[in-house]
Amino acid sequence: MKPLLCCLGLTTLLGPCLACPSTCSCSTKKNGRLLAECAYKDLQEVPEGLSSNVTILTLSANRIGWLGQGSFADVPEVQSLWLGYNQIGVVEPGAFALLAHLKNLDLSHNKIADFPWQDLHNLSDLQILKMNNNRLAGLPRDAFRSLKDLRSLWLNDNELTTLAEGTFDNLPSLSQLQIFNNPFNCSCKVFWLKKWTENTSVSITKGGSTLCVAPSRLKGRAVTDIPDHYCVAPSVQLTYLSNLDNTVTYSGLTLTLHCSVAGSPPPEIRWKIQTSSRRVEINGPNVARDGSVKQSQDHFLVFKNGTMAIPNFSKEDEGIYTCLAVNDVGTRDVSVNVALAGSENPAEDLLQDDPQASHLGGRSCYKGNEMDPSGAGEKLVIVYHMPRESKGRAGGAVPQVHLGTLLLALGITLCC
């Protein structure tokens, strides 16, 4: 009976240490944490049978090539997980998602190209993350968004060619970052990184080794040395054009807007049109060199030089017309609110319908996400005069539209 009681006493005292795979050695640290030491054991997978009380698990320098969703189901309390110097090439979604107490995660020196970044969203206690010396070619902008306590991040010696702007914005505790020895393509998509490094207090280890591989003109230069003039945010100007003033047209009014842009690299021009009945987005010209037009957008003619023409402009086309200039540095836009009014006495009727019409003609501009406080861009009101003698098609007469007053001076420029 006494031997049995003795065994029960030992089990109670050392129970957490006894649940240990034969390939590992387990012990209790002075601070009470349970260590499972399984490094250098030639393991090909995470061993089963680990105690649920393990808080430090060392699996470094093995031959583990795969991590599944349940690989760490036995150790939900683990705080430090060392997996460096293995052959991990596959990490299934959910492999780390349930390790809510994890503070240190080392995945360095493996073969990871694809990683389930969503697993990190539940690891709010993480302080050290080592993913250096892998095959990561990219990572999402919000990969680290939940890691408020992350202090040290190692991404060096991967295959990263670019990083999304804002990648490190949600890391208030970050103090050390390693991103050297990546083949960065120093297009203006990484220009933000230069600006960020100039203003951050984060220590960027071996910053001089964060070199450009492309383009050729910057090859071998540090990312932090990208010349400012290579990357200039867009500017945009929107001009109303017309040669119809004081003329008579028999085919209806053609509204013409011209968008002029500048920046480096040269910005793309995009249009957004919002009317009462529809929303249209046109990314680039839709009029080919031979004059053919994409059928789905044949009412809005967009040319390569930034001009948009709307033939037979009618009340249905009233709305907000926005020109956007987009390049790798950012986006700028400017809008004009176009309304159409018609009567035999346009000036009087316009003032009755719109008491503020006499104040039109001022400039307004908004850029980026800064909205114009006075409204959605310049209000352009086109007033045309329909003579009494003009008859509808039923009466047989040719309809005439005589342009009267343009309340916004022709050629005025809206800039941003």
Short mmCIF file of all heavy atoms in Angstrom, two decimals, residues 16-21 24-39 50-51 53-59 75 78 80-82:
data_model
loop_
_atom_site.label_atom_id
_atom_site.label_comp_id
_atom_site.label_asym_id
_atom_site.label_seq_id
_atom_site.Cartn_x
_atom_site.Cartn_y
_atom_site.Cartn_z
N PRO A 16 3.01 17.15 -14.34
CA PRO A 16 3.22 17.90 -15.57
C PRO A 16 4.45 17.47 -16.34
O PRO A 16 4.53 17.61 -17.54
CB PRO A 16 3.33 19.35 -15.08
CG PRO A 16 2.61 19.37 -13.77
CD PRO A 16 2.87 18.02 -13.17
N CYS A 17 5.47 16.93 -15.64
CA CYS A 17 6.70 16.55 -16.31
C CYS A 17 6.63 15.15 -16.91
O CYS A 17 7.44 14.80 -17.75
CB CYS A 17 7.87 16.60 -15.33
SG CYS A 17 8.15 18.23 -14.61
N LEU A 18 5.71 14.36 -16.45
CA LEU A 18 5.69 12.97 -16.86
C LEU A 18 5.11 12.78 -18.25
O LEU A 18 5.43 11.82 -18.93
CB LEU A 18 4.91 12.13 -15.83
CG LEU A 18 5.52 12.09 -14.42
CD1 LEU A 18 4.65 11.27 -13.48
CD2 LEU A 18 6.94 11.50 -14.46
N ALA A 19 4.18 13.69 -18.67
CA ALA A 19 3.59 13.58 -20.00
C ALA A 19 4.57 14.13 -21.02
O ALA A 19 4.50 15.29 -21.42
CB ALA A 19 2.27 14.34 -20.06
N CYS A 20 5.53 13.30 -21.39
CA CYS A 20 6.62 13.76 -22.25
C CYS A 20 6.97 12.66 -23.25
O CYS A 20 7.24 11.51 -22.84
CB CYS A 20 7.83 14.10 -21.38
SG CYS A 20 9.16 14.92 -22.27
N PRO A 21 6.94 12.97 -24.54
CA PRO A 21 7.32 11.96 -25.54
C PRO A 21 8.75 11.46 -25.30
O PRO A 21 9.60 12.19 -24.77
CB PRO A 21 7.21 12.71 -26.87
CG PRO A 21 6.31 13.86 -26.58
CD PRO A 21 6.57 14.24 -25.16
N CYS A 24 11.73 13.55 -26.41
CA CYS A 24 11.94 14.87 -25.82
C CYS A 24 12.38 14.71 -24.36
O CYS A 24 12.23 13.65 -23.76
CB CYS A 24 10.66 15.70 -25.86
SG CYS A 24 9.95 15.90 -27.51
N SER A 25 12.92 15.77 -23.82
CA SER A 25 13.20 15.83 -22.39
C SER A 25 12.40 17.00 -21.81
O SER A 25 12.40 18.09 -22.37
CB SER A 25 14.69 16.03 -22.14
OG SER A 25 15.15 17.23 -22.73
N CYS A 26 11.71 16.73 -20.72
CA CYS A 26 10.82 17.73 -20.14
C CYS A 26 11.25 18.06 -18.73
O CYS A 26 11.69 17.18 -17.98
CB CYS A 26 9.39 17.23 -20.13
SG CYS A 26 8.76 16.79 -21.78
N SER A 27 11.12 19.32 -18.37
CA SER A 27 11.52 19.75 -17.03
C SER A 27 10.75 21.01 -16.65
O SER A 27 10.19 21.69 -17.50
CB SER A 27 13.03 20.03 -16.98
OG SER A 27 13.36 21.07 -17.91
N THR A 28 10.74 21.26 -15.36
CA THR A 28 10.07 22.46 -14.85
C THR A 28 11.13 23.50 -14.53
O THR A 28 12.09 23.24 -13.79
CB THR A 28 9.26 22.14 -13.59
OG1 THR A 28 8.31 21.12 -13.89
CG2 THR A 28 8.53 23.38 -13.10
N LYS A 29 10.95 24.71 -15.07
CA LYS A 29 11.90 25.79 -14.82
C LYS A 29 11.65 26.39 -13.44
O LYS A 29 10.61 26.12 -12.79
CB LYS A 29 11.75 26.87 -15.89
CG LYS A 29 11.81 26.35 -17.33
CD LYS A 29 13.19 25.86 -17.71
CE LYS A 29 14.14 27.00 -17.94
NZ LYS A 29 15.48 26.53 -18.42
N LYS A 30 12.58 27.19 -12.98
CA LYS A 30 12.43 27.82 -11.67
C LYS A 30 11.19 28.69 -11.57
O LYS A 30 10.60 28.84 -10.50
CB LYS A 30 13.69 28.64 -11.35
CG LYS A 30 14.93 27.80 -11.08
CD LYS A 30 16.10 28.69 -10.72
CE LYS A 30 17.35 27.86 -10.42
NZ LYS A 30 18.51 28.71 -10.06
N ASN A 31 10.82 29.29 -12.69
CA ASN A 31 9.63 30.15 -12.67
C ASN A 31 8.34 29.35 -12.81
O ASN A 31 7.26 29.92 -12.95
CB ASN A 31 9.72 31.20 -13.78
CG ASN A 31 9.90 30.56 -15.17
OD1 ASN A 31 9.76 29.35 -15.33
ND2 ASN A 31 10.20 31.39 -16.15
N GLY A 32 8.44 28.05 -12.80
CA GLY A 32 7.26 27.21 -12.85
C GLY A 32 6.84 26.82 -14.25
O GLY A 32 5.91 26.02 -14.41
N ARG A 33 7.49 27.34 -15.23
CA ARG A 33 7.13 27.00 -16.62
C ARG A 33 7.65 25.62 -16.98
O ARG A 33 8.74 25.22 -16.57
CB ARG A 33 7.69 28.05 -17.59
CG ARG A 33 7.06 29.43 -17.43
CD ARG A 33 7.62 30.41 -18.43
NE ARG A 33 7.02 31.72 -18.29
CZ ARG A 33 7.35 32.78 -19.02
NH1 ARG A 33 8.34 32.66 -19.93
NH2 ARG A 33 6.76 33.93 -18.84
N LEU A 34 6.87 24.94 -17.77
CA LEU A 34 7.21 23.59 -18.17
C LEU A 34 7.88 23.61 -19.55
O LEU A 34 7.31 24.11 -20.52
CB LEU A 34 5.96 22.72 -18.21
CG LEU A 34 6.16 21.22 -18.49
CD1 LEU A 34 7.03 20.58 -17.42
CD2 LEU A 34 4.82 20.51 -18.57
N LEU A 35 9.10 23.10 -19.60
CA LEU A 35 9.88 23.11 -20.84
C LEU A 35 9.88 21.72 -21.46
O LEU A 35 10.15 20.73 -20.77
CB LEU A 35 11.32 23.53 -20.54
CG LEU A 35 12.36 23.28 -21.64
CD1 LEU A 35 12.07 24.14 -22.87
CD2 LEU A 35 13.77 23.55 -21.12
N ALA A 36 9.56 21.67 -22.75
CA ALA A 36 9.69 20.42 -23.52
C ALA A 36 10.78 20.66 -24.56
O ALA A 36 10.61 21.44 -25.50
CB ALA A 36 8.38 20.06 -24.18
N GLU A 37 11.89 20.01 -24.35
CA GLU A 37 13.07 20.19 -25.22
C GLU A 37 13.12 19.03 -26.21
O GLU A 37 13.41 17.90 -25.86
CB GLU A 37 14.33 20.21 -24.35
CG GLU A 37 15.61 20.31 -25.14
CD GLU A 37 15.71 21.60 -25.94
OE1 GLU A 37 15.81 22.67 -25.31
OE2 GLU A 37 15.66 21.51 -27.18
N CYS A 38 12.82 19.38 -27.50
CA CYS A 38 12.77 18.35 -28.54
C CYS A 38 13.64 18.72 -29.73
O CYS A 38 13.39 18.30 -30.87
CB CYS A 38 11.32 18.16 -29.02
SG CYS A 38 10.10 17.92 -27.71
N ALA A 39 14.65 19.53 -29.53
CA ALA A 39 15.54 19.96 -30.61
C ALA A 39 16.56 18.89 -30.93
O ALA A 39 16.90 18.04 -30.10
CB ALA A 39 16.23 21.26 -30.22
N LEU A 50 2.55 15.42 -25.72
CA LEU A 50 3.10 16.49 -24.89
C LEU A 50 2.08 16.90 -23.83
O LEU A 50 0.87 16.85 -24.05
CB LEU A 50 3.46 17.70 -25.75
CG LEU A 50 4.66 17.53 -26.67
CD1 LEU A 50 4.67 18.62 -27.74
CD2 LEU A 50 5.96 17.57 -25.86
N SER A 51 2.57 17.32 -22.68
CA SER A 51 1.68 17.76 -21.61
C SER A 51 0.96 19.05 -22.02
O SER A 51 1.54 19.94 -22.66
CB SER A 51 2.48 18.01 -20.33
OG SER A 51 1.67 18.64 -19.36
N ASN A 53 0.33 21.36 -20.19
CA ASN A 53 0.88 22.46 -19.39
C ASN A 53 2.18 23.02 -19.96
O ASN A 53 2.76 23.92 -19.36
CB ASN A 53 1.13 21.99 -17.95
CG ASN A 53 -0.16 21.62 -17.24
OD1 ASN A 53 -1.18 22.26 -17.46
ND2 ASN A 53 -0.10 20.59 -16.40
N VAL A 54 2.65 22.48 -21.07
CA VAL A 54 3.90 22.96 -21.65
C VAL A 54 3.76 24.43 -22.03
O VAL A 54 2.81 24.83 -22.70
CB VAL A 54 4.28 22.12 -22.89
CG1 VAL A 54 5.38 22.82 -23.69
CG2 VAL A 54 4.73 20.73 -22.47
N THR A 55 4.71 25.24 -21.60
CA THR A 55 4.71 26.66 -21.96
C THR A 55 5.90 27.02 -22.85
O THR A 55 5.90 28.07 -23.49
CB THR A 55 4.75 27.55 -20.69
OG1 THR A 55 5.88 27.16 -19.89
CG2 THR A 55 3.47 27.39 -19.89
N ILE A 56 6.93 26.18 -22.87
CA ILE A 56 8.08 26.40 -23.76
C ILE A 56 8.31 25.11 -24.53
O ILE A 56 8.57 24.06 -23.94
CB ILE A 56 9.35 26.75 -22.96
CG1 ILE A 56 9.12 27.98 -22.08
CG2 ILE A 56 10.51 27.01 -23.92
CD1 ILE A 56 10.27 28.29 -21.14
N LEU A 57 8.20 25.20 -25.86
CA LEU A 57 8.37 24.02 -26.71
C LEU A 57 9.46 24.30 -27.73
O LEU A 57 9.33 25.20 -28.56
CB LEU A 57 7.06 23.67 -27.40
CG LEU A 57 7.08 22.49 -28.39
CD1 LEU A 57 7.59 21.22 -27.72
CD2 LEU A 57 5.70 22.28 -29.00
N THR A 58 10.53 23.53 -27.65
CA THR A 58 11.66 23.70 -28.57
C THR A 58 11.70 22.55 -29.55
O THR A 58 11.90 21.40 -29.17
CB THR A 58 12.98 23.77 -27.78
OG1 THR A 58 12.91 24.85 -26.85
CG2 THR A 58 14.14 24.01 -28.72
N LEU A 59 11.51 22.89 -30.83
CA LEU A 59 11.52 21.89 -31.90
C LEU A 59 12.53 22.26 -32.98
O LEU A 59 12.44 21.80 -34.12
CB LEU A 59 10.12 21.75 -32.52
CG LEU A 59 9.06 21.09 -31.63
CD1 LEU A 59 7.66 21.39 -32.16
CD2 LEU A 59 9.28 19.59 -31.56
N VAL A 75 -0.74 21.42 -26.80
CA VAL A 75 -0.03 22.43 -25.99
C VAL A 75 -0.72 23.80 -26.10
O VAL A 75 -0.10 24.78 -26.54
CB VAL A 75 1.45 22.52 -26.41
CG1 VAL A 75 2.21 21.30 -25.96
CG2 VAL A 75 1.57 22.69 -27.93
N VAL A 78 1.11 27.01 -24.60
CA VAL A 78 2.48 27.33 -24.98
C VAL A 78 2.66 28.83 -25.18
O VAL A 78 1.81 29.50 -25.78
CB VAL A 78 2.91 26.54 -26.23
CG1 VAL A 78 2.18 27.02 -27.48
CG2 VAL A 78 4.42 26.61 -26.43
N SER A 80 6.19 30.08 -25.73
CA SER A 80 7.37 30.19 -26.61
C SER A 80 7.46 28.94 -27.46
O SER A 80 7.51 27.82 -26.92
CB SER A 80 8.65 30.36 -25.78
OG SER A 80 8.62 31.57 -25.04
N LEU A 81 7.50 29.16 -28.77
CA LEU A 81 7.50 28.03 -29.71
C LEU A 81 8.65 28.24 -30.70
O LEU A 81 8.64 29.18 -31.49
CB LEU A 81 6.16 27.95 -30.44
CG LEU A 81 5.96 26.84 -31.47
CD1 LEU A 81 6.20 25.46 -30.84
CD2 LEU A 81 4.55 26.91 -32.06
N TRP A 82 9.64 27.35 -30.63
CA TRP A 82 10.84 27.49 -31.45
C TRP A 82 10.85 26.40 -32.52
O TRP A 82 10.93 25.22 -32.23
CB TRP A 82 12.09 27.41 -30.59
CG TRP A 82 12.03 28.30 -29.37
CD1 TRP A 82 11.92 27.92 -28.08
CD2 TRP A 82 12.07 29.73 -29.37
NE1 TRP A 82 11.89 29.01 -27.25
CE2 TRP A 82 11.97 30.15 -28.02
CE3 TRP A 82 12.16 30.70 -30.36
CZ2 TRP A 82 11.98 31.48 -27.63
CZ3 TRP A 82 12.17 32.04 -29.98
CH2 TRP A 82 12.08 32.42 -28.64
#
